[in-house]
Amino acid sequence: MTKRVEKKYLTEDERKILKLYHAATSVSFFKFNQSENDAKTFVGIWGSPQIINSANDRVLISADTFKNGKSVMVNASINKEGTK
């Protein structure tokens, strides 16, 4: 990350998050109780959204990858009623 980006574009919290991301071997991002469209949009930032139906009447939209020694999981939950 260049000093220009650090100074001009990122907040202190965003810089901390990037440092955590680079130091970690696994990171997860979650959003809860989203509409199906919003959930797919959120997960689509990282990868191709996959729909997973769970036993507790929830639907999980997910995109997970593992590359360069790092696991990244992006998930958003919606109610099954929101998929109709």
Side-chain angles (χ1 to χ4, degrees), residues 9-75:
Y9 298 109
L10 299 177
T11 66
E12 183 62 29
D13 284 346
E14 290 168 329
R15 286 192 293 275
K16 287 177 184 178
I17 290 167
L18 283 174
K19 285 178 185 179
L20 287 169
Y21 172 82
H22 288 291
T25 56
S26 178
V27 295
S28 300
F29 300 93
F30 295 93
K31 274 187 115 170
F32 299 97
N33 298 318
Q34 301 295 299
S35 70
E36 183 173 355
N37 191 46
D38 289 345
K40 286 180 179 178
T41 299
F42 174 71
V43 170
I45 292 169
W46 186 253
S48 180
Q50 304 295 317
I51 298 175
I52 302 166
N53 293 304
S54 67
N56 62 355
D57 289 337
R58 302 292 271 176
V59 176
L60 185 68
I61 310 292
S62 180
D64 303 333
T65 61
F66 184 83
K67 64 181 180 182
N68 300 327
K70 187 178 304 283
S71 172
V72 178
M73 297 166 280
V74 180
N75 300 293

